[in-house]
Amino acid sequence: MTKYVYDFAEGGRDLNDLLGGKGGNLAEMAGMGLPVPPGFTITTDACRAYLRTGREPYGLADEVELHLERLEEQAGRRFGDPDDPLLVSVRSGAKFSMPGMMETVLNVGLTDATVAGLAARTGDEDFAQDCYRRLIQMYGRTVCGIPGDAFDSAGSSVQRHKAIFRQYTGHEFPQEPREQLDTAVRAVFDSWNADRAVLYRRQERIPSSLGTAVNVVAMVFGNLGADSGTGVAFTRDPATGERGVYGDYLADAQGEDVVAGIRNTMPLQDLEQRDQASYDELMSIMSTLEEHYKDLCDIEFTIERGKLWMLQTRVGKRTAAAAFVIATHLVDEGVIDLDEALSRVTGTQLAQLMFPAFDLSGGAPRIATGVAASPGAAVGAAVFDSHRAAEIAASGTPVILVRRETNPDDLPGMIAAQGILTSRGGKTSHAAVVARGMGKTCVCGAEELEVDLDKGQFTTNGHVVSEGDVISIDGTAGAVYLGTVPVQPSPVVRYFEGEIAPDADPLIRAVDRILRHADDRRRLAVRANADTGADAARARRFGAQGIGLCRTEHMFLGDRRTLVERLILARTPQQREAALAELLPWQRADFTELFREMTGRPVTIRLIDPPLHEFLPPLEDLAVRVARAEERGEDPGHDRDLLDAVHRMHEDNPMLGLRGVRLGLVIPGLFAMQVRAVAEAAALVPGSRAEIMVPLVGAVQELETVRDEAQRLLAEIGVDARIGTMIEVPRAALTAGQIARAADFFSFGTNDLTQMGWGFSRDDVEGAFFGRYLELGIFGVSPFESIDRDGVGRLIRIAVAEGRAARPDLHIGVCGEHGGDPDSVHFFHEVGLDYVSCSPFRVPVARLEAGRAAVESTGSDTR
Ligand code: ADP
Ligand code: MG
Ligand code: MG
């Protein structure tokens, strides 16, 4: 029979799948001999069974009974005992932390009968009443769905709380402790599917199938007077990664009070004065936890009349900067090695660190200061309501969500906003925790703000900011500015650019060290997509080992458009050749510049790819111009020719029409001109390594035709260049064995391969059905963003295997956007590509992820 309940003594963090993070870690701490109140955990298995069938699984009730008895023994009190009642908390806790998204009910077990016993045992009647009130509220809200503010008018009277409960539910507050427990457990199960939890999971890409565990923990009381209290702490600063004491403490309070950011907390350091013994014990426990978890931990604790209790720990969330700094500090402290440090930072975090920061040299007016809760620079219109914020952001206006404090219902607005500003709460408030998790800029606890939600405005130091007024918030410094503050490049980018020394500060040092280690470890080379000398130069500074994609058509824009028009409008071979001859020197100059910037490194030049009409004005414009001219009795001349040409070239689906290699096969001399330009440029630049890439090939004969002509030209000019093809048409992937015989290299064009593999286009991402597909879970993330491993990925696997089988020295890379996407980079490592190519700004991200992929696969490679 499935075991659904685990005592803390039976569990551990290796069982987090089953016990959730909270339960697994409570058990872990209990196992370490730390002061954890006794308790047990109902598994995620039970939750999943309940969510599937709508009923608690068979046997669960008996198991709970058994473990409750053990809990009573350990606590030395009985549940429902009118003289000395055991009270418990019923706490959600999934495998991945979802801060505040699900429910917890405290003080379960209090009834009219037991409340007197609690008062008698503690000698504190007010306290007992306070606990009872909290139970009725929390239970009412969580189990019975009573609105949160319904109890606002009830004051401190238990009677009034009970009356409100009755009014909303139509029945009395339950007086049977076991009934309270069972219904609370069920409510926690249900909270897995609450709207906000679903939304959070989608945002954080947590699978919906996991379910939550439920922890039943003996209550300890922080609200028993001045020598009691409750707090949260981090073993290091979660914002910067620096060592030190970081936390908030609230005397005479119960857990929820700190996290909710309702009352202003005191810094944890001040606890030392109030209660030296508990403070010292806490510090020592925190270092024990760090040693054990080998990482930053965050904790929740409660002090009951001078006795310290640990209520939660986990490896703590942190900012991107802190992740890098902590990882290298731990290496210096001898706790982890560099491989481990590398695995603890992500490309997404590095990308965050490359965001711009505010340029304050213009003297922007600072109107308030708060806690630097989540770094970044955000500018937007102040909006005071979560739903309005989501609406306004959807209309395209960037917004800053301004609240007194946030709660889980604010999630839609938080997701939509550029940044979040609150007037209350510290680094551990809901706003701060959630914003850090999302990598979103947040300033919280800006106490100078008088937030008036009804009027939709705040006032601060004589300024009035109303809905729609633009403000700028700096989550790195905790500053709030009026109006738009300009942004400047991030220090990490300036370090890549060579403007900041690698040892400038702890963050730059950490990034430098970890990236160098990634470079040592990775097997994938990283190249950049670049079309100009400036892009190529930047790419090299960012660590690119070559150019994986130069789009030659970008060289046909601007002033040169008229030359291309002439090519398209040519009516005789002489006219066409003349136009091509004029284009040649331009192309040669462009390639020369690229080769110079990338001396000694490969430069892959793709022959022209897009349909030619893209170089002409849109059909509608031309038609209008021609019609107007004719109306005026004038000769439309050139416009008429263009219009005729556009009509001639019109295709219902130009992305599936005359483009790529097909252009080269039907327009005589076009590819030859490009190949000649490449060859002549290569001949000019010593150390150049040209690679010529043919786009949109679906059949080996296409490639052979182009290759034969190109090889003749190269030989004529006396230059050596690899000739290869993009693999971006499904047929190419499926006939890769044949194509490889004519190719020196393959480069996957994953955008087109995705488009043609799925049969929908990139433009659909914003269009009619993508949202629905995400909702249905047909994909968890757009396949244009992250490679679709099962489908498009299979085409890639086939092409790699059959290509290499036909030609073992075939060099294989990828040059679609996916080349800089962290998940996709891991996939490309797994399938054994030689390189990825991405935009210059993604190059450091790809270097890091390629290193992580290599370390991961050596760590766990069983294939
Ligand atoms: P969350 O997942 O939202 O942090 P928790 O289950 O940790 O929710 O509980 C909410 C608050 O109640 C926390 O501050 C926690 O420390 C406190 N709490 C939970 N269980 C107990 C208990 N047995 N005794 C005292 N406080 C508790
Ligand atoms: Mg908690
Ligand atoms: Mg393409």
Side-chain angles (χ1 to χ4, degrees):
M1 221 178 80
T2 319
K3 176 173 165 67
Y4 287 120
V5 183
Y6 285 70
D7 216 71
F8 286 169
E10 298 172 291
R13 68 173 154 150
D14 49 327
L15 293 183
N16 278 8
D17 279 351
L18 210 52
L19 305 180
K22 199 179 286 168
N25 289 321
L26 278 165
E28 188 81 12
M29 284 200 289
M32 293 164 68
L34 300 180
V36 175
F40 58 83
T41 305
I42 302 169
T43 64
T44 53
D45 271 349
C47 176
R48 283 190 294 266
Y50 166 81
L51 291 176
R52 216 170 34 241
T53 62
R55 273 179 310 154
E56 286 77 359
Y58 178 77
L60 177 62
D62 289 346
E63 263 191 87
V64 167
E65 188 61 37
L66 191 79
H67 285 269
L68 197 54
E69 276 166 25
R70 279 201 216 153
L71 176 54
E72 288 174 329
E73 255 165 57
Q74 288 171 285
R77 346 196 122 83
R78 279 184 307 107
F79 199 49
D81 181 349
D83 296 327
D84 183 8
L86 168 70
L87 305 189
V88 296
S89 59
V90 178
R91 315 169 64 186
S92 58
K95 175 175 180 192
F96 301 106
S97 133
M98 299 169 50
M101 292 305 142
M102 291 179 298
E103 302 293 359
T104 282
V105 187
L106 304 181
N107 306 326
V108 170
L110 271 181
T111 61
D112 292 351
T114 57
V115 72
L118 182 66
R121 160 161 82 88
T122 55
D124 193 338
E125 176 68 34
D126 287 348
F127 153 80
Q129 297 291 319
D130 181 42
C131 291
Y132 200 12
R133 266 195 316 272
R134 286 171 187 266
L135 172 64
I136 298 168
Q137 263 192 39
M138 249 188 265
Y139 183 95
R141 211 184 54 227
T142 304
V143 183
C144 310
I146 302 177
D149 54 9
F151 294 97
D152 283 359
S153 63
S156 59
S157 151
V158 166
Q159 286 318 315
R160 295 244 289 281
H161 275 78
K162 290 198 332 202
I164 289 168
F165 184 94
R166 191 182 322 115
Q167 190 189 320
Y168 272 90
T169 61
H171 59 82
E172 295 295 333
F173 183 73
Q175 293 297 315
E176 184 50 56
R178 182 62 202 262
E179 181 194 339
Q180 289 178 6
L181 176 62
D182 290 339
T183 46
V185 168
R186 185 179 265 241
V188 171
F189 284 159
D190 284 328
S191 71
W192 176 255
N193 283 331
D195 289 347
R196 63 190 189 205
V198 171
L199 189 61
Y200 184 86
R201 285 200 294 272
R202 197 176 306 156
Q203 176 85 11
E204 300 292 313
R205 301 188 192 173
I206 298 172
S208 283
S209 56
L210 298 178
T212 181
V214 185
N215 303 286
V216 177
V217 188
M219 283 300 300
V220 293
F221 300 103
N223 50 339
L224 261 174
D227 58 354
S228 303
T230 181
V232 292
F234 296 87
T235 54
R236 297 173 196 239
D237 186 342
T240 66
E242 289 303 324
R243 304 175 186 91
V245 179
Y246 299 90
D248 302 307
Y249 184 73
L250 201 55
D252 197 10
Q254 218 171 42
E256 301 274 70
D257 304 351
V258 191
V259 192
I262 294 167
R263 278 165 61 189
N264 278 317
T265 53
M266 68 184 211
L268 184 59
Q269 284 89 332
D270 295 1
L271 177 63
E272 188 169 15
Q273 264 76 55
R274 289 181 79 103
D275 182 350
Q276 179 83 48
S278 299
Y279 181 81
D280 290 346
E281 187 183 359
L282 185 63
M283 291 301 125
S284 132
I285 288 175
M286 278 162 62
S287 67
T288 307
L289 284 173
E290 267 222 350
E291 250 165 63
H292 187 78
Y293 285 89
K294 300 185 190 305
D295 205 349
L296 160 83
C297 295
D298 68 28
I299 59 168
E300 294 178 0
F301 65 93
T302 280
I303 298 174
E304 178 180 325
R305 291 188 168 156
K307 161 81 182 132
L308 175 67
W309 293 99
M310 300 300 293
L311 291 174
Q312 186 172 326
T313 193
R314 67 186 158 208
V315 168
K317 297 201 181 204
R318 67 206 68 186
T319 62
F324 277 85
V325 170
I326 290 171
T328 49
H329 279 177
L330 290 170
V331 172
D332 292 337
E333 291 160 27
V335 179
I336 61 174
D337 63 12
L338 267 169
D339 276 357
E340 177 66 23
L342 176 57
S343 73
R344 288 193 186 178
V345 293
T346 66
T348 308
Q349 287 169 330
L350 182 58
Q352 275 170 29
L353 291 172
M354 292 172 70
F355 290 149
F358 284 137
D359 174 5
L360 295 173
S361 57
R366 180 191 276 232
I367 54 171
T369 302
V371 177
S374 181
V379 181
V383 179
F384 297 81
D385 173 85
S386 164
H387 289 285
R388 283 237 3 108
E391 250 170 53
I392 296 175
S395 77
T397 306
V399 304
I400 306 285
L401 179 66
V402 185
R403 304 283 294 161
R404 282 201 196 109
E405 69 257 341
T406 62
N407 64 51
D409 293 330
D410 288 318
L411 200 61
M414 297 175 80
I415 291 173
Q418 302 295 308
I420 298 147
L421 170 63
T422 70
S423 58
R424 296 187 198 161
K427 269 191 182 155
T428 53
S429 64
H430 177 265
V433 172
V434 173
R436 273 199 301 277
M438 300 196 294
K440 197 151 280 197
T441 303
C442 174
V443 173
C444 59
E447 290 170 25
E448 298 148 294
L449 300 191
E450 294 279 343
V451 180
D452 188 331
L453 296 173
D454 293 334
K455 283 199 197 147
Q457 66 178 42
F458 71 76
T459 50
T460 172
N461 300 318
H463 300 278
V464 180
V465 172
S466 307
E467 181 181 295
D469 294 347
V470 173
I471 56 172
S472 301
I473 62 170
D474 182 340
T476 317
V480 184
Y481 302 95
L482 203 55
T484 302
V485 180
V487 287
Q488 65 184 9
S490 85
V492 170
V493 167
R494 297 186 57 218
Y495 146 71
F496 289 133
E497 292 286 10
E499 295 162 16
I500 290 184
D503 60 352
D505 66 36
L507 172 61
I508 303 295
R509 263 200 304 281
V511 169
D512 178 68
R513 187 162 171 200
I514 292 181
L515 261 183
R516 275 189 293 122
H517 187 66
D519 288 341
D520 284 349
R521 278 283 188 254
R522 67 192 160 87
R523 204 200 57 225
L524 278 172
V526 177
R527 300 191 192 177
N529 301 346
D531 314 324
T532 65
D535 276 356
R538 157 166 292 149
R540 216 191 46 228
R541 290 194 297 272
F542 283 27
Q545 294 160 285
I547 292 179
L549 175 64
C550 160
R551 298 174 172 93
T552 50
E553 59 270 15
H554 286 185
M555 301 166 170
F556 288 176
L557 300 174
D559 295 347
R560 308 172 192 178
R561 206 185 267 274
T562 49
L563 298 179
V564 182
E565 278 179 14
R566 223 170 285 167
L567 170 69
I568 296 169
L569 298 181
R571 289 179 190 276
T572 65
Q574 288 78 0
Q575 285 175 352
R576 189 178 57 239
E577 274 156 34
L580 286 170
E582 276 195 82
L583 276 166
L584 176 70
W586 291 103
Q587 292 254 283
R588 186 173 54 221
D590 292 327
F591 299 147
T592 309
E593 202 184 331
L594 284 181
F595 291 145
R596 289 221 166 96
E597 289 297 347
M598 283 284 166
T599 313
R601 301 162 207 230
V603 175
T604 309
I605 291 163
R606 181 177 70 185
L607 302 178
I608 186 167
D609 180 43
L612 286 185
H613 70 80
E614 284 194 5
F615 298 98
L616 301 182
L619 177 70
E620 297 76 20
D621 292 7
L622 285 170
V624 169
R625 259 147 60 186
V626 170
R628 288 226 178 106
E630 282 171 347
E631 237 173 56
R632 289 193 300 264
E634 295 163 11
D635 176 10
H638 185 56
D639 281 344
R640 155 70 63 204
D641 295 342
L642 286 173
L643 184 61
D644 288 347
V646 171
H647 272 306
R648 247 190 346 267
M649 287 183 213
H650 176 79
E651 294 179 70
D652 279 336
N653 196 338
M655 296 319 285
L656 297 180
L658 180 58
R659 52 172 289 221
V661 67
R662 297 158 203 165
L663 283 172
L665 297 180
V666 302
I667 302 182
L670 177 59
F671 277 10
M673 180 277 290
Q674 292 199 295
V675 171
R676 179 176 286 281
V678 171
E680 290 180 359
L684 285 173
V685 183
S688 59
R689 286 173 57 192
E691 298 186 340
I692 293 169
M693 179 157 75
V694 185
L696 221 72
V697 164
V700 66
Q701 295 85 346
E702 294 170 314
L703 181 61
E704 280 167 350
T705 309
V706 174
R707 184 199 55 179
D708 291 350
E709 187 181 9
Q711 277 173 343
R712 264 197 310 277
L713 267 168
L714 289 168
E716 184 188 304
I717 298 166
V719 165
D720 212 19
R722 282 178 167 176
I723 298 173
T725 179
M726 297 200 56
I727 302 288
E728 55 187 340
V729 175
R731 191 180 189 283
L734 297 172
T735 59
Q738 296 169 17
I739 292 177
R741 288 200 297 273
D744 296 325
F745 65 89
F746 281 176
S747 177
F748 289 100
T750 50
N751 300 343
D752 271 313
L753 199 56
T754 300
Q755 172 161 304
M756 291 184 239
W758 277 91
F760 51 58
S761 96
R762 226 192 142 85
D763 304 330
D764 292 321
V765 171
E766 303 293 328
F769 63 88
F770 243 64
R772 182 72 182 132
Y773 269 44
L774 288 165
E775 223 170 78
L776 289 170
I778 295 172
F779 30 73
V781 46
S782 157
F784 289 105
E785 198 180 306
S786 219
I787 198 87
D788 152 38
R789 288 172 174 249
D790 296 343
V792 177
R794 183 153 155 67
L795 286 171
I796 293 175
R797 283 182 195 275
I798 291 171
V800 169
E802 299 190 359
R804 288 233 171 94
R807 183 167 174 172
D809 67 339
L810 186 72
H811 200 241
I812 310 182
V814 57
C815 64
E817 310 270 294
H818 295 97
D821 167 67
D823 283 345
S824 312
V825 170
H826 285 246
F827 175 77
F828 299 136
H829 171 90
E830 272 169 44
V831 300
L833 299 200
D834 296 299
Y835 70 90
V836 297
S837 185
C838 54
S839 73
F841 263 95
R842 303 297 286 184
V843 164
V845 173
R847 286 165 58 199
L848 186 82
E849 289 294 352
R852 297 185 66 219
V855 163
E856 239 168 54
S857 61
T858 46
S860 63
D861 203 349
T862 47
R863 276 168 301 146

